[in-house]
Structure formats: C-alpha cells, structure tokens
C-alpha cells in the first residue's frame, strides 16, 4: 500500500465526511453570493493538481501550491488561497488538498457547468515539493503535449480542460495578457470553442496555447465537437476534471459513493 493510500484511509472517517459536506455547502453559499471568485478558484485547483509527474509520482493535488506562490504562473492565485482560508477555519479537518479541489468543482457548478463527482481523502504534502512545470500560454502543441502527457493526461483531456477558459480573464499584472476569454466570463458554457473557430474578437483574449487547439490535427476535432455540442463538452469535461483532481491520488477502497460506481 502506497503512502498516499495509507494516508487517505487515515484521513477519511465519518467526522471528516461531515466536514467535507459543510465545506461544500459553505463554498456554494459564498460563491452563489459572489461568483467573481469562481474563475480563480478553478485556476487554483488546476495549478495545485497540474504539477503532477506520472513517472516520478511527485506533485499533484496535495495542497503544496500555498507554498509555491512565488512561482510566476501562480501570480494571482493567492486571492483564491485566501478565499479558501475562511472555509478552512470553519472546517479545519479538511485538508488543503481536498479543499482546493472541492472549491474548483463548486466553481464550475455555480457558474452553470457540470457537476463533478468529488472523492475526498487527499493528504497534504508535508512541505513544498519539487514538482513539474505548469503550461506556458506562449507554448505550441508540443509544449502542451509535453506538460499534459507528463501528468498522464491525453489529447482529449488537453482540449476539454482548456475549456475552463470559458471562465475568467487574463490580467496584465499577472500574465502580461489582458482581457476575458469569452463574452460572459462568469458563465460556464462552450463559447470558448465557438470563439476558437472564429477570427480574433476585439476585446477578447486567445493565448497561442488556446489558438493551437484549433490548428493541431490531434486537437482540432475536439474543438469542432465541443463547439457544436455543449452536452458532450460537459460530459467529457466532468470526466477529465475528475481525473485531473485525482492525479496521483488513490481514494480509499472500497467506496460506496455513487461517484465511485460511475
Ligand atoms: C492548456 C494550458 C493552459 C495555459 C497555458 C493556461 C494559462 C493561463 C493564463 C496565462 C491565464 C491568465 C492568468 C492571468 O493573467 O490572470 C489563465 C487563466 C485561467 N486559467 Fe488557464 N491555462 C491553461 C489551462 C487551464 C486549465 C486546464 C484550467 C482549469 C481546468 C485553467 C483555468 C483557468 C482559469 C479559470 C483562468 C481565469 C483566472 C482568472 O480569471 O483569474 N487553465 N490560464
């Protein structure tokens, strides 16, 4: 049994599950009142999980991002960490690793996206961990493949998870880019893919790493599919987001929750 499995079994008991439920409700309530935080919470969830290296089994959704805020790709993520702290104070047993992934899922849900089944028990990394790089917005398709394959994810995961850019915006002081990705940055829908198939729209941002999805033959067919069919986008998104949120994490087994039966 791996260290992570052992820890997950130690973490999750009846009281823990109660606190997770409380944290979920609290997050819902806070975000329903103010959806502005939804995009950065989703970004937080990706940046904690997206350091995973499938070969060395390091990084992943382990809460370590709160010690990695000086890493330039994490500019702005402190706002999401601080937002989560008010939930952590009320539900202190919930690990940071679980809290950040839960917050990302609630962010998708409250903005109109799919419900993503959450499984709890991620242990927090003891200290800052050496972990893999996050994707660069100026990168091409080989760069995206290098980064996401390292996590153990595939071409479909790359395209569908990039659909998270249906939410939020780029900030000049964080990434150098400036502006929202879609016309309604607090609505989770398939407009990101619809826009990718159109010429640049004044006022909206497309990174080179977004544009390449509509160009590379390994990616393009998914962009076409999701632009045409939002239902398929939501179904595939929920699958890949769940996968991302569990990189390197082995939930305790057997589990009787519906999420595990799916
Ligand atoms: C495919 C490679 C990706 C690259 C290169 C990338 C890069 C970036 C950059 C540079 C920003 C702008 C940061 C700022 O200026 O504030 C951003 C924003 C964002 N990213 Fe990504 N990202 C990628 C994938 C993802 C994934 C997989 C997710 C989640 C599943 C995600 C979620 C978001 C969200 C929600 C925002 C908006 C944040 C806000 O409004 O503050 N991104 N991303």
């Amino acid at each position: 049994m791996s260290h992570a499995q052992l820890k997950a079994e130690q973490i999750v008991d009846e009281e823990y599950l109660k606190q997770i439920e409380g944290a979920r409700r609290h997050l819902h309530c806070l975000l329903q009142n103010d959806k502005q935080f939804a995009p950065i919470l989703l970004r937080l969830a990706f940046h904690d999980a997206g350091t995973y290296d499938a070969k060395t089994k390091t990084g992943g959704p382990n809460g370590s991002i709160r010690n990695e805020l000086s890493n330039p790709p994490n500019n702005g993520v402190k706002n999401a960490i601080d937002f989560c702290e008010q939930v952590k104070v009320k539900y202190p047993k919930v690990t940071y690793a679980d809290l950040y992934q839960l917050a990302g899922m609630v962010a998708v849900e409250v903005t109109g996206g799919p419900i993503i089944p959450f499984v709890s028990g991620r242990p927090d990394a003891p200290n800052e961990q050496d972990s893999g790089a996050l994707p660069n917005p100026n990168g091409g398709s080989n760069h995206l493949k290098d980064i996401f394959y390292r996590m153990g994810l595939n071409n479909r995961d790359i395209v569908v998870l990039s659909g998270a850019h249906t939410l939020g915006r780029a900030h000049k002081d964080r990434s150098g880019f400036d502006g929202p990705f879609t016309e309604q940055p607090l609505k989770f829908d398939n407009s990101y893919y619809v826009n990718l198939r159109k010429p640049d729209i004044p006022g909206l941002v497309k990174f080179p790493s977004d544009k390449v999805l509509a160009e590379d033959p390994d990616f393009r067919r998914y962009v076409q599919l999701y632009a045409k069919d939002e239902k398929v986008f939501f179904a595939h998104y929920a699958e890949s987001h769940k996968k991302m949120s569990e990189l390197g994490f082995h939930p305790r087994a057997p589990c009787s929750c519906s999420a595990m039966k799916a």
Side-chain angles (χ1 to χ4, degrees):
M1 184 181 279
S2 77
H3 183 62
Q5 274 171 313
L6 186 68
K7 283 281 205 65
E9 293 201 359
Q10 287 168 345
I11 289 168
V12 180
D13 58 16
E14 214 174 301
E15 172 58 21
Y16 190 81
L17 291 174
K18 266 192 208 157
Q19 292 220 0
I20 286 281
E21 201 36 49
R24 184 208 297 278
R25 289 218 193 104
H26 195 35
L27 284 164
H28 249 282
C29 192
L30 290 168
L31 284 177
Q32 283 293 2
N33 288 338
D34 186 3
K35 292 200 174 78
Q36 297 291 337
F37 276 93
I40 196 68
L41 289 170
L42 177 53
R43 190 158 199 243
L44 164 68
F46 171 51
H47 282 209
D48 199 33
T51 55
Y52 188 60
D53 185 323
K55 277 208 189 99
T56 58
K57 300 199 189 315
T58 53
N62 56 21
S64 66
I65 190 168
R66 67 192 196 286
N67 303 315
E68 294 161 357
L69 294 174
S70 57
N71 186 17
N74 291 333
N75 288 348
V77 170
K78 186 174 185 308
N79 294 329
I81 303 260
D82 291 347
F83 180 94
C84 287
E85 209 52 48
Q86 61 192 311
V87 182
K88 176 77 173 166
V89 167
K90 270 190 93 176
Y91 302 99
K93 277 191 191 257
V94 174
T95 62
Y96 284 107
D98 270 355
L99 182 57
Y100 298 159
Q101 293 311 314
L102 188 61
M105 290 178 186
V106 174
V108 171
E109 211 179 306
V110 299
T111 50
I115 293 175
I116 303 154
F118 176 77
V119 183
S120 58
R122 292 164 193 74
D124 284 336
N127 292 307
E128 182 180 356
Q129 289 199 330
D130 275 335
S131 49
L134 291 160
N136 183 324
N138 291 308
S141 63
N142 285 342
H143 168 71
L144 290 183
K145 287 173 185 172
D146 283 350
I147 297 278
F148 282 85
Y149 291 176
R150 185 208 68 222
M151 296 178 216
L153 299 178
N154 60 36
N155 292 335
R156 198 184 92 178
D157 296 318
I158 294 174
V159 180
V160 80
L161 287 172
S162 297
H165 288 172
T166 179
L167 291 186
R169 57 173 297 128
H171 305 76
K172 190 125 198 85
D173 56 328
R174 296 181 187 171
S175 62
F177 293 89
D178 196 15
F181 307 113
T182 62
E183 287 87 348
Q184 291 181 279
L186 294 180
K187 182 166 183 237
F188 196 102
D189 61 15
N190 69 340
S191 55
Y192 168 78
Y193 301 104
V194 174
N195 291 348
L196 273 187
R197 302 189 70 209
K198 291 184 190 160
D200 289 355
I201 301 169
L204 298 186
V205 167
K206 278 181 197 168
F207 302 139
S209 62
D210 294 315
K211 288 185 181 183
V212 80
L213 303 180
E215 292 157 8
D216 183 293
D218 292 334
F219 297 145
R220 200 168 45 211
R221 63 202 168 102
Y222 297 114
V223 172
Q224 287 164 358
L225 176 64
Y226 301 144
K228 285 202 182 111
D229 194 332
E230 191 176 70
K231 265 197 188 148
V232 177
F233 166 48
F234 275 26
H236 289 185
Y237 181 85
E239 247 179 63
S240 294
H241 186 132
K242 177 167 161 55
K243 205 164 146 187
M244 172 190 94
S245 78
E246 292 172 13
L247 291 171
F249 163 58
H250 307 284
R252 65 177 185 163
C255 176
S256 59
C257 64
S258 56
M260 294 304 293
K261 284 183 194 150

